[in-house]
Amino acid sequence: MTSSLPRAVRPRRARPPWCVRAARAALGGTAGIAWLALPVMTINSGTAVAAGALPRAGPVAVGTVAPPQDETSGADLVLPLVAVGAAAVGAGYGYVRRTRRARTRTTPGGGDGGASPPPTGALSGDGLADLDELDARARRSLVLADDCVRTSREELGFAEAGCGGADLAPFTGAVREAERELSVAFALRLRYDAGDPADPAARRQVPAAVIGRCEEAGRLLDAAADAFDDVRGLDRGVGRAVEVAETRFRALAARTPAAEAVVADLLRRYAPSASDQVTGGTEQAKDRLMFATVHLNQARQQADRGESGRAAAHLRAAEGAVAQAAVFLDGIERLAAELDEAASLVPAALSGAEAERAGTQGRLTAVPAGEIRSRVLHADAVLASVRQELTSGRRHDPLDVLRRIVTATAPLDAGRTGVLSAAALLTARSATGAAADFVTTHRGVVGAGARTLLAGAERLLASDDPAGHLRADALAREARDRAEQDVRMHGNPYTEADADTPGTAAAVLGGVLLHPSPTAPAPHFGGPGTRTRRVASRP
């Protein structure tokens, strides 16, 4: 079959290699010699063979004597030898071709030997599997960078209390710069999760950008870690640092009974849902303080033996636990204040919402009349339900009531100023604080999704836009739900039987320790490259 390509563009066939050509020549020579030798050998045998003659089947004449068969003719020997030689040459030729093809193949086994290699992009991130891996790496980078920033911020607080007049401004600046890089990474991730950008080529660039920002945040903290250790001087002794931690420990232990009384009072005055987010907070604070007690004692014992490196490791574990105990107790007191503020704001917010509802027609001039009516009917139903709940005398959740009022009137273009704006800010601040506390005290298992939503809520909360505050409230509550889901899915694979120190399981859940072991590292100020370093003991 003739090729359809013009002669000028047909690919020129490559000349076979010398070994292939030699095999072909040997095969041809062997066949030629055999062809020339056959007539001679046949004549010498004394038997005439007519070309193309075949033996005929028929009766054998009686008395015919068969020729003697005790001698083998030359043809009988030559033909098998020729066949064997031809087969050997053919096998050699096939082996040479297979070897040549295997050496020059550019695709994996089983593919087309003449196929070209896959495009470079398919191996470096353009493929779906590579994009999924890049996306997973971006999520891991966000979690690691966020943990580093939170730990560095905590230890910096202890350093500020224990280093006297030391200049800590460079380290405060490093943490702030890392926070800015991380904030940009979270903003990129939040848009990415929402489907922005939509273009596939542009979306491929987002995970890489997130990873780059996280790595820069870690680099900033890593670069400051050694100098921070020099200023804090734990390798020279932990006495002053232990005193600071013990002072904070005693203050928190004294606040714990009062916090328990606050929770009981909230349950008495408000609906149970109002204090759900701090339920069990005092018990978790006690767990952290119990863990801190053991490690503070061990820090002093190691320091007395001159093991400043081991003493510093125990001190860092105790400081992390003390910091988280403070988060639990601060959250209880903050929620009590927010509920009291919300309760005092509800009557004014309800009246303001009803007044805003009356002026809806004048504000929504660009909205179709049917849509305006639908929004007004919905707002009327919500406000009537709220008023009925307030007049019934039943306990309620003031923050939830404010949220319902603000959310119902927002579609009426209300709440940009005045009491409704203040109500939106209060609910957003409360929800964001609660989500941040939960992530901080469970960061050992909380993933990137919850942290991304929380970062978005914190960014919107810092704005002056009431609409942004509504969005912040929604993001924060979703972040809390996602974080709680992470904790439920992870479970608690560690029990107190896994470690010698009470409270270890809770400490691992909170990221105070990286795993439940007496020698487990407690993370330090620094980025991914330095957070698990150990302070060297000085003689």
Side-chain angles (χ1 to χ4, degrees), residues 435 438-439 446 449-455 457 474-484:
F438 192 89
V439 170
V446 173
R451 298 174 193 240
T452 300
L453 294 168
L454 173 59
L475 286 177
R477 288 186 292 121
E478 186 179 356
R480 174 69 184 258
D481 291 343
R482 186 81 65 87
E484 290 179 347

Side-chain angles (χ1 to χ4, degrees), residues 16 21 59 86 115 195 275 295 298 338 354 377 432 459 474 495 510 524:
R21 297 199 304 273
S275 55
H295 282 277
Q298 291 177 340
E338 290 166 348
E354 292 172 338
L377 288 176
T432 303
R459 186 169 55 255
T495 64
H524 286 253

Side-chain angles (χ1 to χ4, degrees), residues 355-376:
E356 293 278 4
R357 177 248 180 266
T360 298
Q361 194 69 40
R363 289 192 304 272
L364 301 178
T365 56
V367 180
E371 177 66 20
I372 294 177
R373 185 171 184 275
S374 176
R375 296 182 186 183
V376 169

Side-chain angles (χ1 to χ4, degrees), residues 359-406:
T360 298
Q361 194 69 40
R363 289 192 304 272
L364 301 178
T365 56
V367 180
E371 177 66 20
I372 294 177
R373 185 171 184 275
S374 176
R375 296 182 186 183
V376 169
L377 288 176
H378 174 71
D380 286 345
V382 172
L383 296 179
S385 173
V386 167
R387 187 168 289 281
Q388 181 180 4
E389 183 176 343
L390 294 178
T391 57
S392 68
R394 298 192 304 269
R395 293 179 299 167
H396 59 275
D397 179 352
L399 284 168
D400 181 64
V401 169
L402 282 183
R403 182 175 291 113
R404 289 157 57 194
I405 293 173
V406 171

Side-chain angles (χ1 to χ4, degrees), residues 192-279:
Y192 181 83
D193 289 342
D196 183 21
D199 178 65
R203 285 185 67 79
R204 291 188 185 98
Q205 308 303 319
V206 176
V210 169
I211 293 171
R213 292 287 184 171
C214 292
E215 289 179 346
E216 177 61 15
R219 187 196 66 77
L220 290 166
L221 296 174
D222 281 333
D226 287 344
F228 180 82
D229 286 346
D230 290 340
V231 171
R232 197 167 189 204
L234 296 182
D235 58 335
R236 298 186 295 272
V238 298
R240 173 58 182 157
V242 169
E243 290 177 1
V244 170
E246 287 178 338
T247 299
R248 293 191 179 186
F249 170 88
R250 287 191 290 269
L252 293 171
R255 288 170 55 192
T256 302
E260 290 176 327
V262 169
V263 173
D265 183 58
L266 295 179
L267 289 171
R268 180 181 59 81
R269 295 167 55 200
Y270 302 114
S273 60
S275 55
D276 274 350
Q277 65 192 43
V278 296
T279 299

Side-chain angles (χ1 to χ4, degrees), residues 12 69 351 403 510:
R12 185 177 180 180
Q69 300 295 324
S351 299
R403 182 175 291 113

Side-chain angles (χ1 to χ4, degrees), residues 296-382:
L296 285 172
N297 290 336
Q298 291 177 340
R300 284 200 175 276
Q301 292 171 6
Q302 296 295 338
D304 292 342
R305 297 190 184 103
E307 296 286 347
S308 57
R310 293 183 179 181
H314 287 295
L315 171 66
R316 277 299 305 130
E319 288 176 342
V322 167
Q324 291 194 8
V327 170
F328 285 117
L329 298 182
D330 290 345
I332 292 171
E333 296 170 359
R334 185 184 66 246
L335 177 63
E338 290 166 348
L339 286 170
D340 289 345
E341 183 180 357
S344 65
L345 196 59
V346 164
L350 182 58
S351 299
E354 292 172 338
E356 293 278 4
R357 177 248 180 266
T360 298
Q361 194 69 40
R363 289 192 304 272
L364 301 178
T365 56
V367 180
E371 177 66 20
I372 294 177
R373 185 171 184 275
S374 176
R375 296 182 186 183
V376 169
L377 288 176
H378 174 71
D380 286 345
V382 172

